[in-house]
């Protein structure tokens, strides 16, 4: 098989990099590291395959990669890629669904727990030496078990989250998904424990709302002032999907002047979160640095799957996961 030119644009585990190097000519150049930027752009000119994540691959960048045949993203989300330009050019896009489902659902459930029970705030209370007597009612939390969870987006991660809530915490679960979900067929273990509702109903009826949608033109800015105003007084809002699905000024307004109890956020419109973002230090916000899938096991599984995707695509085999349209 002829060796082809691969551009690796984020760090890969050494054994996965070695798999690529065994078959192809590999350049490693991370465009987020200033002294690697020239090498990144230079190797775009010849790259036939690319593998990486967390970098905007827009139409202009694609225009500088005339030989590109496949991009293998080490992520499930594909919002960093100019999908129309890729389709027009016939460049295949692979991604890593499945292997990160349970880990990401764990993270979102942890944010639900942390926001409701004020875990970070109270841990800081201890750490900073303020635990000098029994805590008072002003520091009490809010039960999670038994609360109604509303899940926006009922794909793999939404369903895994629903399992944790319904089967582990006795929570009634409402969900909204743009395409129909057949609970009896797709998630039989949740039959009778989850109900599909209209989006506005979900906002009005859920105690805790979790966003698990992909970012696309249809979901960008989807949650704004109107949606926050629909939420129950004292509701908790959790975003484990993409920051740009939420209008952050509206979220801030709901926290400062509305009745939102708290927000748990793993994702932000701009990442890393700018130092001057009011969300960074907001007392009602538990903020995480986009760690949905960030465990040793899962990040390794993602890298391995993405490497296989790229090797398969370059050798004319069917990759494990080709992105073929937006699903939740
Ligand atoms: C994903 O896989 O899409 C995660 O959010 C990491 O970017």
């Amino acid at each position: 098989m002829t060796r082809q030119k691969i551009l690796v644009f984020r760090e890969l585990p050494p054994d996965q990099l070695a798999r690529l190097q065994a078959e192809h000519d590999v350049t490693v150049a991370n465009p987020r590291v200033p002294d690697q930027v020239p090498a990144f752009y230079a190797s775009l000119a010849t790259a036939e395959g690319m593998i990486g994540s967390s970098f905007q691959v827009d139409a202009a960048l694609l225009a500088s990669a005339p030989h590109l045949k496949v991009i293998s993203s080490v992520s499930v989300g594909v919002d960093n890629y100019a999908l129309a330009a890729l389709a027009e050019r016939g460049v295949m896009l692979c991604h890593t669904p499945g292997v990160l489902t349970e880990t990401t659902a764990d993270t979102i459930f942890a944010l639900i727990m942390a926001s409701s029970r004020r875990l970070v705030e109270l841990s800081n209370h201890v750490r900073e030496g303020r635990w000098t007597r029994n805590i008072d009612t002003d520091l009490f939390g809010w039960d999670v078990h038994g609360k109604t969870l509303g899940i926006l987006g009922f794909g793999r991660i939404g369903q895994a989250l629903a399992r944790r809530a319904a089967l582990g915490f006795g929570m009634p679960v409402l969900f909204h998904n743009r395409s129909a979900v057949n609970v009896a067929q797709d998630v039989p273990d949740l039959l009778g424990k989850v109900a599909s509702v209209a989006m506005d109903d979900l906002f009005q009826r859920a105690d805790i709302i979790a966003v698990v949608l992909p970012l696309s033109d249809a979901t960008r800015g989807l949650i704004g002032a109107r949606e926050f105003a629909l939420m129950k007084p004292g509701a908790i809002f959790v975003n484990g999907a993409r920051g740009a699905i939420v209008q952050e000024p509206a979220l801030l307004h709901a926290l400062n002047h509305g009745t939102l109890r708290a927000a748990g956020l793993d994702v932000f419109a701009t990442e890393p979160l700018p130092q001057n973002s009011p969300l960074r230090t907001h007392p009602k916000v538990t903020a995480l640095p986009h760690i949905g899938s960030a465990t040793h096991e899962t990040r390794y599984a993602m890298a391995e799957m993405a490497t296989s995707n790229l090797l398969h695509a370059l050798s004319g085999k069917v990759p494990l996961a080709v992105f073929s349209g937006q699903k939740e």
Side-chain angles (χ1 to χ4, degrees), residues 167-179:
L167 309 180
F169 282 71
M171 301 171 81
V173 174
L174 306 175
F175 70 87
H176 177 79
N177 200 61
R178 282 168 304 158
S179 51

Side-chain angles (χ1 to χ4, degrees), residues 54 74-79 96 100 241-242 290 293 299 302:
S54 314
V74 192
S75 68
V76 65
V78 293
D79 45 289
T96 62
L100 47 65
R242 287 293 185 267
H290 198 146
S293 61
R299 284 291 168 88
M302 291 165 70

Side-chain angles (χ1 to χ4, degrees), residues 218-305:
T219 61
R220 191 177 298 278
L222 183 73
I223 302 175
R226 176 185 166 280
E227 288 67 32
F228 284 113
L230 286 176
M231 292 176 196
K232 274 185 169 177
I236 285 180
F237 178 77
V238 171
N239 190 359
R242 287 293 185 267
I245 294 170
V246 180
Q247 297 173 33
E248 285 182 350
L251 169 60
L252 259 174
H253 186 86
L255 287 166
N256 290 335
H257 307 291
T259 59
L260 209 57
R261 181 183 303 270
L265 307 172
D266 185 38
V267 290
F268 299 88
T270 303
E271 295 178 1
L273 185 62
Q275 293 295 325
N276 64 357
S277 167
L279 292 172
R280 192 172 65 83
T281 52
H282 198 290
K284 292 184 177 176
V285 172
T286 302
L288 296 176
H290 198 146
I291 59 157
S293 61
T295 63
H296 290 292
E297 301 92 325
T298 293
R299 284 291 168 88
Y300 182 83
M302 291 165 70
E304 187 177 40
M305 182 172 181

Side-chain angles (χ1 to χ4, degrees), residues 22 25 87 90 112 150 183 194 278 289:
D25 297 333
I112 291 173
V183 174
V194 300

Side-chain angles (χ1 to χ4, degrees), residues 68-72 86 90-94 309 313 317 319 322-323:
L68 194 62
K69 293 187 274 197
V70 55
I71 301 180
S72 181
L86 286 173
V91 174
M92 181 189 282
L93 177 62
C94 302
N309 279 337
K317 283 197 247 156
V322 178
F323 179 75

